Structures are given as C-alpha cells and as structure tokens.
Amino acid sequence: MQYPNQELEKLIDKYVNGEANSEEIDIVERFFESFSSRPNLLNTLPDEVQEALKTRIHSGIMNKLASNKKRSFSFSQIAAAAILCIAFASLFLYLINAPQNQEVTLTNGQQRQIVLEDGTKVTLNASSKIIYPTSFKDSSTREVTLIGEAFFDVTKNPAKPFLIHTPRMEISVLGTAFNVRDYAEENNAETALVRGKVSIWKTGTNDQKFILKPREKFVITKLDRPEKASPSPSLKTITAPTGIAIQPFTVSEKDGSALETEWLLNRITIQDERLLDIALKLERMYGVEIKITNKAIASQRYSATFENEQLESILKALQTVNYFQIKKTGKNQLQLF
C-alpha cells in the first residue's frame, strides 16, 4: 500500500473542483474504495501517519466545505464533492474508532498470561512477542502476530476464525488448544495441537494447507543451505529452504503434559542435546547470559529432565555427567569452560 502523496492530493483537489477527467476520477474513487473494503489496511500505518491522516482529513473536509459556499457548481460537481466528503468522513470516523493494536514483548526469564477481548487465553513464553487488537468486534476474523512461543486456548466462534501469523507459519482455528513455537535462532518452527482442529500452512504460501488432529504437530525445518535474499517487511519471513513434516507427539496420561508444552510447568527435558543448545534454553528460561568458551565442552551431549529446579542445581547436575567449570562474570552472566 502506498501512503497518500502530493500527486494523489492534486488528484483529490481536481476531483472536488470538478476538473478531473474520467481516468483521474476512477483513480480517486478506487483509492477510497480500498479503505472501505479493507479497513484493516489502516492498522499497518505507523501511529504518526495515522495521526497525520486524521488531521489532513478533518482539515480537508472543513476547507472544501467552506470554499464550496463561495463558488457556483453544477449538480454533477456538487454530487462529486459530496461523495468525496462522505468518503473522507467515513475514513475519519474509522480512524478514530478503529481498535488499536497492543504489543507485549517479553525478555528471557519472563512468562505472562494474556486474556484477549474474546476470552481467548494466551500464555506467552520468554523472549517472545505478540501483537493483537484491543477488540475483534468489527472484524470478520480474529488475527494476532506471534514471534517466539505461546500456548493458545482459543474461545470457539465458528463465525469468526482465529488466525495466527508467525515468521514461518500461518494457523487458522475456530476453537482449540495448541502450542506455537517459532524462534528465529532455532532451526525448527512448530505447532502442536492438544485438542480441537487447526488448518496450517507455511508463511507466504497457501496452496498446500495441512489439517492437524490432536497429538499431531506441524514442523518446519530450515535446511542446511544458503538463505535467499528477500525484502524486510515488519514481520520478517524466513526465506531459507525448508522441509515440512507432520509428526505425532506423546501426551502424558499422568498430568496431560507433553514435551511441546512442558515449559508451562517450568519443566525442561533434554534429549541427547549439545551443551550449546541447552545453554540457549537455560538463557531463555532463567534470564541469564551463558557463554561457552571451549568448543569441545559446547559439543558435549546430555539427557535429563528438570522441573522447578534452580539454574545452579541444573548446571551442577550436568557437571556430574561431563565435567566443565562455571564462572560468574557479571550480573546474570556465566561462563562455562
């Protein structure tokens, strides 16, 4: 979408004054139709641009109405001016009343539960961001953007699908519970369905959609090949070659948990993983920075499960399997060597 510019402003002036030709009239009218048919486009404008539009629209209407009183117009000119003023007024009222987006960004070591306007519950994991409107009232869909990880328990509403946009996945649901994980620094992005049904596809494509059943997960894996150059929109998409798979996952009969959702219980399971990858999990969970200065130690592999454990206890337990030294280098900063 292009922002209003000087050429468009000139066309609008010609339109109001009855001086526009048929082609110019068509351009102006299609421009205002785009706002009425896709009002959500306005939410993509920066706040300062929206404010400028409000001021411009209001002053433009007032100026045109004032100047019209001093001039004589034909019926067609008056009708054209009236149509444009109505379009301006509608857009102005929408800008004033349109729901604003909320943005919640968490750093390492944080978690937060958010209840959306429709009753949907979202538990946001550490080092994650979610963007959502304050209200879904005047929208045909319920759309949010997620970067990182969150567990969704979506309120059922067949008339208004719930859509989640991540850098690598697009997810459409009616009412269900599932976990979404898409961290830029990780090779895998996945959506794991606990109950209900979801439709899911890779961001940027909609010709291959998958339907997940409970205890299935959709996994996108970055392949070990160079990334392709791409533009940089507000939501950066992953353009590296990827593989897609539908995989089953296990849910515990004891507490209903799964590896994919264990972070909700403050639990961490390590399955034959390098210390380098374990450190990344611990950084996210405990809000610390861990630097490994020895490549051999970084490549050591471990398997274990920890629940509600202090970081110090976890590191000491890992030390007993394959020894390494720990040094505190600053506030919330550790060095392993």
Short mmCIF file of all heavy atoms in Angstrom, two decimals, residues 273-276 292-302 322-325 336-337:
data_model
loop_
_atom_site.label_atom_id
_atom_site.label_comp_id
_atom_site.label_asym_id
_atom_site.label_seq_id
_atom_site.Cartn_x
_atom_site.Cartn_y
_atom_site.Cartn_z
N GLU A 273 21.20 -33.70 23.73
CA GLU A 273 21.42 -32.35 23.17
C GLU A 273 22.79 -31.81 23.56
O GLU A 273 23.33 -32.13 24.63
CB GLU A 273 20.33 -31.40 23.67
CG GLU A 273 18.94 -31.79 23.22
CD GLU A 273 17.87 -30.88 23.79
OE1 GLU A 273 18.10 -29.65 23.83
OE2 GLU A 273 16.81 -31.40 24.23
N ARG A 274 23.33 -30.98 22.68
CA ARG A 274 24.61 -30.35 22.95
C ARG A 274 24.47 -29.31 24.07
O ARG A 274 23.41 -28.69 24.22
CB ARG A 274 25.14 -29.64 21.71
CG ARG A 274 25.41 -30.53 20.51
CD ARG A 274 25.89 -29.70 19.34
NE ARG A 274 24.95 -28.62 19.02
CZ ARG A 274 25.22 -27.59 18.23
NH1 ARG A 274 26.42 -27.47 17.68
NH2 ARG A 274 24.30 -26.67 17.98
N LEU A 275 25.54 -29.12 24.82
CA LEU A 275 25.53 -28.12 25.87
C LEU A 275 25.25 -26.73 25.29
O LEU A 275 24.61 -25.89 25.93
CB LEU A 275 26.87 -28.13 26.62
CG LEU A 275 26.95 -27.20 27.85
CD1 LEU A 275 25.91 -27.57 28.89
CD2 LEU A 275 28.35 -27.27 28.46
N LEU A 276 25.72 -26.49 24.07
CA LEU A 276 25.47 -25.21 23.41
C LEU A 276 23.97 -24.95 23.27
O LEU A 276 23.49 -23.84 23.53
CB LEU A 276 26.13 -25.21 22.02
CG LEU A 276 26.02 -23.92 21.20
CD1 LEU A 276 26.77 -22.78 21.88
CD2 LEU A 276 26.56 -24.14 19.79
N ILE A 292 29.97 -20.09 26.38
CA ILE A 292 30.81 -21.29 26.45
C ILE A 292 32.07 -21.02 25.62
O ILE A 292 31.99 -20.78 24.41
CB ILE A 292 30.07 -22.52 25.90
CG1 ILE A 292 28.74 -22.71 26.64
CG2 ILE A 292 30.93 -23.77 26.04
CD1 ILE A 292 27.89 -23.84 26.10
N THR A 293 33.21 -21.03 26.27
CA THR A 293 34.46 -20.64 25.60
C THR A 293 35.26 -21.82 25.07
O THR A 293 36.26 -21.63 24.39
CB THR A 293 35.34 -19.83 26.57
OG1 THR A 293 35.59 -20.61 27.75
CG2 THR A 293 34.65 -18.53 26.97
N ASN A 294 34.84 -23.02 25.38
CA ASN A 294 35.54 -24.23 24.94
C ASN A 294 34.65 -25.00 23.96
O ASN A 294 33.56 -25.45 24.32
CB ASN A 294 35.90 -25.10 26.15
CG ASN A 294 36.75 -26.29 25.78
OD1 ASN A 294 36.39 -27.07 24.91
ND2 ASN A 294 37.88 -26.46 26.46
N LYS A 295 35.09 -25.14 22.70
CA LYS A 295 34.28 -25.79 21.67
C LYS A 295 33.98 -27.25 22.00
O LYS A 295 32.89 -27.75 21.71
CB LYS A 295 34.97 -25.69 20.32
CG LYS A 295 34.99 -24.28 19.73
CD LYS A 295 35.61 -24.28 18.34
CE LYS A 295 35.61 -22.88 17.73
NZ LYS A 295 36.20 -22.87 16.36
N ALA A 296 34.95 -27.94 22.59
CA ALA A 296 34.74 -29.34 22.94
C ALA A 296 33.64 -29.48 23.98
O ALA A 296 32.78 -30.37 23.90
CB ALA A 296 36.05 -29.96 23.44
N ILE A 297 33.64 -28.58 24.97
CA ILE A 297 32.61 -28.60 26.01
C ILE A 297 31.25 -28.25 25.41
O ILE A 297 30.23 -28.85 25.74
CB ILE A 297 32.99 -27.64 27.15
CG1 ILE A 297 34.16 -28.22 27.94
CG2 ILE A 297 31.79 -27.38 28.06
CD1 ILE A 297 34.68 -27.32 29.03
N ALA A 298 31.23 -27.28 24.50
CA ALA A 298 29.97 -26.87 23.86
C ALA A 298 29.31 -28.01 23.11
O ALA A 298 28.08 -28.07 22.98
CB ALA A 298 30.23 -25.70 22.92
N SER A 299 30.13 -28.97 22.62
CA SER A 299 29.61 -30.09 21.82
C SER A 299 29.23 -31.30 22.66
O SER A 299 28.67 -32.27 22.12
CB SER A 299 30.65 -30.50 20.77
OG SER A 299 30.93 -29.43 19.90
N GLN A 300 29.53 -31.28 23.97
CA GLN A 300 29.17 -32.41 24.83
C GLN A 300 27.66 -32.57 24.90
O GLN A 300 26.93 -31.58 24.95
CB GLN A 300 29.74 -32.20 26.24
CG GLN A 300 31.25 -32.28 26.29
CD GLN A 300 31.82 -31.98 27.67
OE1 GLN A 300 32.98 -32.23 27.93
NE2 GLN A 300 31.00 -31.45 28.57
N ARG A 301 27.20 -33.83 24.90
CA ARG A 301 25.76 -34.10 24.85
C ARG A 301 25.24 -34.63 26.19
O ARG A 301 25.93 -35.35 26.91
CB ARG A 301 25.44 -35.09 23.72
CG ARG A 301 25.69 -34.49 22.34
CD ARG A 301 25.26 -35.40 21.21
NE ARG A 301 25.35 -34.71 19.94
CZ ARG A 301 24.38 -33.97 19.40
NH1 ARG A 301 23.23 -33.84 20.03
NH2 ARG A 301 24.57 -33.38 18.23
N TYR A 302 23.96 -34.28 26.46
CA TYR A 302 23.35 -34.63 27.74
C TYR A 302 21.89 -35.03 27.51
O TYR A 302 21.25 -34.62 26.53
CB TYR A 302 23.36 -33.44 28.70
CG TYR A 302 24.75 -32.91 29.02
CD1 TYR A 302 25.40 -32.03 28.14
CD2 TYR A 302 25.40 -33.28 30.19
CE1 TYR A 302 26.65 -31.54 28.43
CE2 TYR A 302 26.66 -32.78 30.49
CZ TYR A 302 27.28 -31.91 29.61
OH TYR A 302 28.54 -31.43 29.90
N ASN A 322 29.29 -34.78 32.35
CA ASN A 322 30.50 -34.39 31.61
C ASN A 322 30.99 -33.09 32.24
O ASN A 322 30.34 -32.05 32.12
CB ASN A 322 30.20 -34.17 30.12
CG ASN A 322 29.96 -35.47 29.39
OD1 ASN A 322 30.78 -36.39 29.44
ND2 ASN A 322 28.81 -35.58 28.72
N TYR A 323 32.13 -33.16 32.87
CA TYR A 323 32.57 -32.04 33.71
C TYR A 323 32.93 -30.79 32.89
O TYR A 323 33.51 -30.87 31.81
CB TYR A 323 33.78 -32.46 34.56
CG TYR A 323 34.21 -31.37 35.52
CD1 TYR A 323 33.47 -31.10 36.66
CD2 TYR A 323 35.33 -30.59 35.24
CE1 TYR A 323 33.85 -30.09 37.52
CE2 TYR A 323 35.71 -29.57 36.10
CZ TYR A 323 34.96 -29.32 37.25
OH TYR A 323 35.32 -28.31 38.10
N PHE A 324 32.58 -29.65 33.45
CA PHE A 324 33.01 -28.34 32.95
C PHE A 324 33.03 -27.39 34.15
O PHE A 324 32.43 -27.65 35.19
CB PHE A 324 32.07 -27.82 31.86
CG PHE A 324 30.62 -27.78 32.27
CD1 PHE A 324 30.09 -26.69 32.97
CD2 PHE A 324 29.77 -28.85 31.96
CE1 PHE A 324 28.76 -26.67 33.35
CE2 PHE A 324 28.43 -28.82 32.33
CZ PHE A 324 27.92 -27.74 33.03
N GLN A 325 33.74 -26.31 34.00
CA GLN A 325 33.82 -25.32 35.07
C GLN A 325 32.85 -24.17 34.81
O GLN A 325 32.52 -23.86 33.66
CB GLN A 325 35.25 -24.78 35.20
CG GLN A 325 36.27 -25.84 35.62
CD GLN A 325 37.62 -25.23 35.91
OE1 GLN A 325 37.77 -24.41 36.81
NE2 GLN A 325 38.62 -25.64 35.13
N LEU A 336 31.08 -20.89 30.85
CA LEU A 336 31.35 -22.31 31.00
C LEU A 336 32.60 -22.65 30.21
O LEU A 336 32.73 -22.28 29.04
CB LEU A 336 30.16 -23.14 30.49
CG LEU A 336 28.76 -22.77 31.03
CD1 LEU A 336 27.73 -23.75 30.52
CD2 LEU A 336 28.74 -22.73 32.56
N PHE A 337 33.52 -23.38 30.83
CA PHE A 337 34.80 -23.71 30.15
C PHE A 337 35.38 -24.99 30.71
O PHE A 337 34.92 -25.53 31.70
CB PHE A 337 35.78 -22.53 30.29
CG PHE A 337 36.10 -22.17 31.71
CD1 PHE A 337 37.27 -22.65 32.29
CD2 PHE A 337 35.26 -21.35 32.46
CE1 PHE A 337 37.60 -22.31 33.61
CE2 PHE A 337 35.59 -21.01 33.78
CZ PHE A 337 36.73 -21.49 34.34
#
